[in-house]
Amino acid sequence: ADIGTPNTNSCGYDSLVPCDDYGHGTHTLGTLVGDDGMGNQIGMAPGAKWIGCRNMDNGDGNPASYIECFEFFLAPYPIGGDPLTDGDPALAPHVINNSWGCPPTEGCDPTSLLATVEAVRAAGIMVVVSAGNAGSACASVKDPPATYSASLTVGATDSGDNIAGFSSRGPSALDGSMVKP
């Protein structure tokens, strides 16, 4: 995704190998599928296969970069390929994990990603998203796509399996009635 100015991050653009210039994506992926190949399977699903799409530049994205990645997941295509002719829906993931939100400072309004997330869900792909880190107040699940009914919104827990103090809480700020996370 074209999300910044070339050479403003350590990864560059259109990398042939996975790259994380912010560290959060790598941490999240490890929580999901972490396996060091030597018997230490620390992730929730260490045998799962994964694909990635870079939608941020040093931790910041925008609606266009987020939508571009959702479109990629509908029909993945090779780097340098044409999404219209090289995309293959048979390679689409069953689940997309998104540990980010799109606040107004990134150009999102409450419905910026709604049609996209609903289309991905209609294609049979589960969209899992972070509730956010806005703290313990009610209705602090406020940024898309966490506020959508088509998203499975998850909060954070601490080492004692209690709700983490920084974890956003519902209901969804979009309509005030959806239970989130």
Side-chain angles (χ1 to χ4, degrees):
D2 182 16
I3 48 182
T5 305
N7 303 318
T8 64
N9 65 70
S10 60
C11 294
Y13 296 89
D14 294 330
S15 174
L16 295 176
V17 297
C19 185
D20 181 358
D21 65 358
Y22 196 63
H24 186 73
T26 301
H27 161 79
T28 303
L29 189 60
T31 300
L32 297 171
V33 299
D35 184 344
D36 69 357
M38 298 177 5
N40 297 305
Q41 298 179 329
I42 60 169
M44 299 301 296
K49 294 180 182 178
W50 64 273
I51 59 175
C53 183
R54 183 178 167 82
N55 64 6
M56 293 183 159
D57 183 6
N58 290 304
D60 292 314
N62 59 58
S65 66
Y66 297 134
I67 291 169
E68 183 178 356
C69 281
F70 279 122
E71 290 173 344
F72 167 77
F73 287 128
L74 285 170
Y77 53 91
I79 291 175
D82 182 335
L84 298 177
T85 58
D86 299 330
D88 186 352
L91 298 176
H94 296 113
V95 179
I96 300 171
N97 182 68
N98 304 280
S99 188
W100 52 266
C102 188
T105 56
E106 290 183 352
C108 271
D109 65 44
T111 61
S112 292
L113 306 173
L114 181 60
T116 302
V117 171
E118 288 177 342
V120 170
R121 285 293 297 129
I125 300 171
M126 174 60 70
V127 179
V128 180
V129 301
S130 166
N133 300 328
S136 60
C138 291
S140 54
V141 176
K142 58 184 176 168
D143 294 327
T147 54
Y148 303 149
S149 62
S151 298
L152 173 62
T153 304
V154 297
T157 59
D158 63 20
S159 60
D161 206 23
N162 299 300
I163 299 172
F166 61 83
S167 186
S168 294
R169 291 163 173 80
S172 168
L174 182 64
D175 71 3
S177 67
M178 264 186 286
V179 175
K180 296 282 183 171

